[in-house]
Amino acid sequence: MIVGAERLPQNAGMDPGALSRAVGLIEAHGAVAQICVLRHEQVVLDRAFGCRPDSLFMIFSAGKPFMAMLVHQLAERGQLALDDPVARYWPEFSRHGKDAITIRQVLQHRAGLPVAHNLPRDALAAPNWRRAVHGIEHARPSWPPGEVPAYHILSFGFILGEIVQRVTGASLREVMRAELLDPLGLADTHLGLPAPLWYRHVPVRGHHPAARVRQAVFNRRGVRQAIVPAATVSSTARDMARFYLMLLRGGELDGVRVLRPATVAEALRPSANGQTDRLLRLPIRWAQGFQLGGPGPDPGRPRPMGSSSSPQAFGHNGSNCCLAWADPSRGVVFAYLTNVLSASFDGSPHQSEVSDAVLGACR
């Protein structure tokens, strides 16, 4: 399926007037942005705002599902087991009481290692793979493995990425390209932005002091081009829509199967159902590599997938500026990438409003 040709929304059971509200919200937000929405596998919205459709956005944590699905793929093939200790494949990881942490617990953000040291120190180490991994090897868990959900901001990608490299004997970038990106035709998705494509990158922007510090960091070539699997995937809304359409179809797209339906179902099985995440200090529904939708306990708190999202919806937010999700109950795929960083981790009312506008257009 080639994403990029909008069809009449009403042909996919969507209200054009309601869908136009989402466009109005994006225009009013004033960010450089792309959005791609599918309903029943038909493109109903495919727009770029202040950029080209092939401009490349840094998608931050919205890229975590790529890493997760590589691990689920290896489990499907019998090259690892999700309930194996991480240390079975990475012996140095076992230091300081981490020998019992399982791969599944990392996928669920229940390994007790939301950070190796603290977030600023981890962020400084992140562009250097060996330094980041060394820090995780010497880290001590903040909670016993499996006890509580605590969002693994950067450690998620480095732990799972190191496992993938040790199991396959290849670089993470090579594995992701060969096993997911190329088979799915995701030519505009990259783990670490290749230098020849720098001219297509969209710089991030921050309008608050904390966000401006992050802007200075994330606009550096050395950071944008580094292999930080939980943060530095660059992509387009069209590519993200294709990825989620594959998941909605149970692991197949355009006649190419990269995952079995049972594997996708396992990745979407809830692991935290509204518990308060100890790092984010927010109630959240986690799966095994994804955030899940559904109404939250606090109706006034923004939910990226929308306050009206169904419990079956799955996706991932990225720094409250990039978001992709799919809703099997409505047949909707949604990918919305922007370049404006939020000042906090407390949710984005704007993302919630755009998601709700799209959901409200479904008849």
Side-chain angles (χ1 to χ4, degrees):
M1 175 182 179
I2 299 174
V3 173
E6 283 188 13
R7 299 186 183 182
L8 292 174
Q10 52 267 42
N11 291 345
M14 299 196 82
D15 178 358
L19 198 60
S20 68
R21 180 172 178 270
V23 174
L25 289 167
I26 295 169
E27 291 173 336
H29 191 56
V32 176
Q34 297 169 352
I35 187 167
C36 187
V37 177
L38 282 64
R39 179 91 192 282
H40 303 319
E41 304 192 13
Q42 297 184 50
V43 180
V44 295
L45 190 60
D46 181 24
R47 308 281 176 88
F49 303 80
C51 65
R52 292 169 49 90
D54 64 352
S55 294
L56 297 170
F57 287 76
M58 185 171 171
I59 64 173
F60 298 95
S61 290
K64 281 184 169 76
F66 289 104
M67 187 70 260
M69 295 319 299
L70 277 182
V71 172
H72 282 286
Q73 187 184 64
L74 290 174
E76 174 184 295
R77 295 173 179 176
Q79 292 178 263
L80 58 79
L82 297 184
D83 292 312
D84 282 344
V86 173
R88 176 174 179 177
Y89 307 95
W90 176 8
E92 300 89 340
F93 179 84
S94 65
R95 297 184 178 111
H96 304 303
K98 301 195 298 296
D99 52 297
I101 292 173
T102 67
I103 298 170
R104 189 185 303 277
Q105 289 165 346
V106 179
L107 286 164
Q108 297 174 340
H109 299 279
R110 286 180 173 270
L113 280 173
V115 293
H117 302 289
N118 54 60
L119 187 53
R121 186 173 171 184
D122 288 5
L124 286 173
N128 183 312
W129 185 276
R130 186 59 246 167
R131 185 179 167 195
V133 166
H134 183 74
I136 289 170
E137 290 173 349
H138 290 273
R140 296 178 184 274
S142 299
W143 292 276
E147 184 173 284
V148 297
Y151 185 39
H152 290 38
I153 296 179
L154 294 171
S155 56
F156 181 93
F158 285 118
I159 297 171
L160 297 179
E162 185 69 9
I163 292 169
V164 169
Q165 293 189 148
R166 291 187 178 229
V167 168
T168 64
S171 76
L172 182 58
R173 178 184 265 169
E174 291 171 344
V175 176
M176 188 175 291
R177 176 61 55 193
E179 301 298 339
L180 280 182
L181 303 182
D182 282 352
L184 295 174
L186 305 184
D188 286 329
T189 301
H190 309 273
L191 175 54
L193 184 62
L197 298 180
W198 180 259
Y199 75 100
R200 286 170 55 191
H201 89 284
V202 177
V204 298
R205 295 286 180 261
H207 299 317
H208 303 276
R212 282 197 290 270
V213 171
R214 294 164 65 207
Q215 169 187 317
V217 171
F218 293 128
N219 282 334
R220 291 171 49 201
R221 278 181 180 253
V223 172
R224 193 76 178 256
Q225 295 176 351
I227 306 300
V228 185
T232 62
V233 172
S234 289
S235 191
T236 65
R238 289 176 176 178
D239 264 21
M240 294 299 290
R242 283 183 60 84
F243 178 68
Y244 274 87
L245 180 59
M246 174 274 293
L247 294 168
L248 201 61
R249 290 171 57 94
E252 177 272 332
L253 187 66
D254 294 341
V256 177
R257 179 165 294 284
V258 295
L259 298 158
R260 296 174 188 159
T263 302
V264 177
E266 177 65 14
L268 301 181
R269 186 163 58 85
S271 63
N273 206 1
Q275 292 172 268
T276 297
D277 185 284
R278 294 299 183 91
L279 188 80
L280 298 176
R281 298 194 174 105
L282 299 171
I284 193 165
R285 298 185 68 227
W286 287 115
Q288 301 185 76
F290 295 89
Q291 298 164 338
L292 297 175
D298 180 359
R301 188 179 295 280
R303 295 182 62 76
M305 289 179 246
S307 60
S308 58
S309 62
S310 75
Q312 292 76 39
F314 62 92
H316 216 292
N317 182 19
S319 288
N320 290 325
C321 67
C322 294
L323 172 67
W325 52 262
D327 185 348
S329 70
R330 295 178 170 104
V332 173
V333 169
F334 174 103
Y336 177 40
L337 312 182
T338 84
N339 73 327
V340 175
L341 293 168
S342 170
S344 73
F345 293 106
D346 199 31
S348 167
H350 173 69
Q351 286 184 333
S352 185
E353 288 171 353
V354 175
S355 292
D356 275 329
V358 168
L359 293 171
C362 297
R363 293 170 171 167

